[in-house]
């Protein structure tokens, strides 16, 4: 399931790049996330972020060793910031 999402994300990103390259006139060129493929990529990235956050939270709660719990906390925070960076940038 996760590999399928990554593959779909790759194809949608490639479609955004191809769509952006086919525009000739710079004044009508769309930002890559304004196209349909770009919006689908953005939604997919948000769903992947939610899935990742849920998995890290679950792993954190199941872990008994404090050192590993700190690792999951830092992993969740750093990867969360990285994963949500593009959607926040596009919205702003």
């Amino acid at each position: 399931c996760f590999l399928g999402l990554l593959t779909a994300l790759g194809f949608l990103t490639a479609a955004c790049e191809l769509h952006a390259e086919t525009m000739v006139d710079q004044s009508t060129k769309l930002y890559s996330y304004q196209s349909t493929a770009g919006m689908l990529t953005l939604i997919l990235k948000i769903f992947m972020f939610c899935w990742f956050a849920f998995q890290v939270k679950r792993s954190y709660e199941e872990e008994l060793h404090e050192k590993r719990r700190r690792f999951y906390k830092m992993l969740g925070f750093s990867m969360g910031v990285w994963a949500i960076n593009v959607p926040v940038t596009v919205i702003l």
Side-chain angles (χ1 to χ4, degrees):
C1 181
F2 184 69
L3 291 177
L5 287 175
L6 285 177
T7 303
L9 181 65
F11 282 122
L12 288 172
T13 302
C16 286
E17 292 298 324
L18 289 173
H19 183 267
E21 289 298 319
T22 59
M23 296 295 201
V24 177
D25 186 7
Q26 291 294 333
S27 65
T28 61
K29 187 173 182 178
L30 290 175
Y31 181 58
S32 63
Y33 288 105
Q34 288 178 322
S35 66
T36 304
M39 292 303 290
L40 289 174
T41 302
L42 193 60
I43 290 169
L44 190 58
K45 283 183 179 185
I46 292 170
F47 280 124
M48 288 174 63
F49 165 73
C50 292
W51 176 84
F52 177 79
F54 173 76
Q55 293 298 324
V56 169
K57 182 179 181 287
R58 192 171 84 182
S59 297
Y60 174 80
E61 291 171 349
E62 291 175 358
E63 187 57 56
L64 300 176
H65 295 94
E66 187 60 34
K67 189 174 183 178
R68 290 183 187 155
R69 288 175 66 96
R70 280 194 311 255
F71 168 76
Y72 283 121
K73 188 184 287 186
M74 291 304 296
L75 177 70
F77 178 75
S78 59
M79 292 301 292
V81 168
W82 177 78
I84 208 72
N85 185 27
V86 170
V88 169
T89 303
V90 169
I91 290 170
L92 295 178

